[in-house]
Amino acid sequence: MTAREPSFVAALRERVRGDVREAEPVARYSTYRIGGPATVLLPKIADDVAAAVRLAHEAGVSWFTLGLGSNILLPDLGLDALVIRIGKGLDRIERDQDTWTIGAGLPAPLAARRTAEAGFAGLHIFVGVPGTVGGGVYMNAGCHGGDWSEVIERVTVVDEAGHDSVLGRTDIPFSYRRSGLERRVVLETTVRLRQEESHRLEEAVSEMFEWRQRGTPFNQPCCGSVFKNPAGPSWKREDGPRTAGQLIEAAGLKGFTIGGAQISPIHANYFVNTGGATAEDVKKLIAHAQQVVAERFGIRLEPEVKLIGSNGEYLNSER
Ligand SMILES: Cc1cc2nc3c(=O)[nH]c(=O)nc-3n(C[C@H](O)[C@H](O)[C@H](O)COP(=O)(O)OP(=O)(O)OC[C@H]3O[C@@H](n4cnc5c(N)ncnc54)[C@H](O)[C@@H]3O)c2cc1C
């Protein structure tokens, strides 16, 4: 069975309080603005997530969790999987001394600003990362030298069978841009932050935000960095291009376009949707950049963006 079946949609509507949308274009839930129709659940309360996952489990339907869709490429023909979109309703933010409990649906830039305004540092670095708190935890998103794993105390998740549990920091195998929380939905997290003078933090937040706006195609549909920066002994040159963006730029690919997808003339590791791009256009552009960089520099670039299949599966080798 798929999540498109009317009987599945009807059963889901009986079990949840949130909105269930049929044949909803998922492009509207992705910062790429790409993706075809799917059954989408917008949970109203945390219990909706557990109920939906339980129903999918019983019915043999696959599911896929989305936050603000800022690190994914969704399929042109949409999904057979149920799309669970975590946002409003799961976006509380509460403080207890220096620990903060934040719902997975709160946008990370809002969490950054709210905590910085109150004089707490640690999340302020995420002011320019346009995802949710849940997506940040799942991705172990990071910037300005920090990442989520550095502040997390615990994370509440729902597992594949629809049971929720609280995981301590040491139970989560965080690594670079990865949490190891596959096949679980993050509901909320508790972080420990450090107190700093709020006016200095707010200054830092403004600087980081402006820096973002200057260096990246901030107002064009995209997913941030397409490739991870290559690391390890295969790339030891000190004098040449080293980051993924520098390699793509040095290969002469800035501005290169396939269909509606373009390698940004502003930042070569950002591929933008110039209007009407399909997932296939973006995938072809990814393959082209990989091929040219491999030929020129002998380096295989690995995508950071998650390429999603119709069952919600990850098409890149890594999750
Ligand atoms: C302009 C721009 C700049 C960016 N800059 C950075 C940066 O500096 N550093 C960085 O690390 N990233 C950056 N990104 C990428 C992206 O914003 C982050 O990875 C972000 O944390 C993804 O959050 P999201 O809610 O959009 O997740 P989505 O894109 O919706 O999902 C990403 C992955 O997380 C999973 N997921 C989402 N929510 C949950 C949840 N509640 N529970 C379980 N799994 C979940 C999804 O299934 C998917 O596998 C940037 C993106 C853009 C567009």
Side-chain angles (χ1 to χ4, degrees):
M1 193 194 264
T2 79
R4 301 185 200 259
E5 295 277 331
S7 60
F8 179 79
V9 174
L12 182 59
R13 285 195 173 123
E14 271 180 24
R15 294 207 196 179
V16 298
R17 285 174 52 189
D19 206 3
V20 179
R21 300 189 177 172
E22 278 176 278
E24 172 85 336
V26 289
R28 70 175 52 153
Y29 303 111
S30 153
T31 56
Y32 255 133
R33 301 285 173 258
I34 292 173
T39 300
V40 177
L41 167 66
L42 305 172
K44 195 170 179 187
I45 51 171
D47 283 352
D48 282 351
V49 177
V53 169
R54 242 182 341 258
L55 175 66
H57 189 66
E58 288 162 20
V61 166
S62 49
W63 51 270
F64 181 73
T65 316
L66 263 186
L68 281 167
S70 62
N71 204 49
I72 46 167
L73 181 64
L74 295 167
D76 293 320
L77 296 178
L79 289 94
D80 291 333
L82 170 67
V83 174
I84 303 173
R85 205 275 181 136
I86 308 291
K88 272 200 171 20
L90 280 84
D91 56 353
R92 78 181 175 118
I93 175 161
E94 274 167 29
R95 182 189 147 201
D96 178 12
Q97 299 191 16
D98 60 351
T99 63
W100 293 69
T101 298
I102 312 176
L106 190 74
L110 261 183
R113 287 187 189 279
R114 296 278 294 275
T115 51
E117 276 159 22
F120 285 86
L123 292 184
H124 66 294
I125 56 173
F126 296 116
V127 66
V129 179
T132 57
V133 164
V137 173
Y138 182 85
M139 291 293 306
N140 192 19
C143 52
H144 304 288
D147 63 30
W148 275 91
S149 73
E150 288 169 20
V151 289
I152 285 175
E153 294 268 297
R154 47 188 188 273
V155 178
T156 305
V157 295
V158 169
D159 69 17
E160 259 185 306
H163 301 126
D164 45 332
S165 57
V166 180
L167 305 175
R169 162 70 186 83
T170 49
D171 302 325
I172 308 172
F174 282 114
S175 57
Y176 179 72
R177 300 292 171 267
R178 197 164 182 196
S179 62
L181 290 173
E182 287 86 26
R183 306 312 303 155
R184 276 168 282 194
V185 184
V186 175
L187 294 180
E188 65 179 29
T189 186
T190 299
V191 295
R192 187 179 297 277
L193 305 180
R194 33 174 221 284
Q195 268 189 299
E196 273 183 30
E197 282 177 40
S198 57
H199 74 272
R200 285 179 49 183
L201 273 175
E202 285 181 54
E203 254 171 49
V205 163
S206 301
E207 264 175 41
M208 287 175 191
F209 193 68
E210 279 163 26
W211 176 81
R212 285 277 171 169
Q213 286 188 311
R214 274 198 310 275
T216 56
F218 210 74
N219 295 321
Q220 271 181 298
C222 71
C223 73
S225 296
V226 170
F227 294 108
K228 296 178 187 174
N229 288 324
S234 62
W235 187 245
K236 281 185 173 168
R237 280 180 57 186
E238 297 281 320
D239 53 341
R242 313 183 75 191
T243 65
Q246 287 166 351
L247 288 162
I248 298 166
E249 184 174 351
L253 290 174
K254 259 190 169 179
F256 189 84
T257 302
I258 294 181
Q262 183 189 45
I263 298 181
S264 168
I266 301 172
H267 188 312
N269 201 18
Y270 280 51
F271 293 8
V272 295
N273 177 358
T274 59
T278 63
E280 284 312 306
D281 293 340
V282 179
K283 283 189 209 163
K284 282 184 196 154
L285 203 55
I286 288 174
H288 182 74
Q290 280 175 318
Q291 191 193 332
V292 176
V293 167
E295 283 166 9
R296 282 281 300 273
F297 303 107
I299 289 168
R300 169 95 189 152
L301 292 176
E302 286 296 330
E304 181 167 312
V305 54
K306 294 184 182 304
L307 312 177
I308 308 301
S310 65
N311 281 312
E313 75 278 22
Y314 295 96
L315 301 176
N316 343 18
S317 52
E318 260 191 69
R319 302 175 198 234

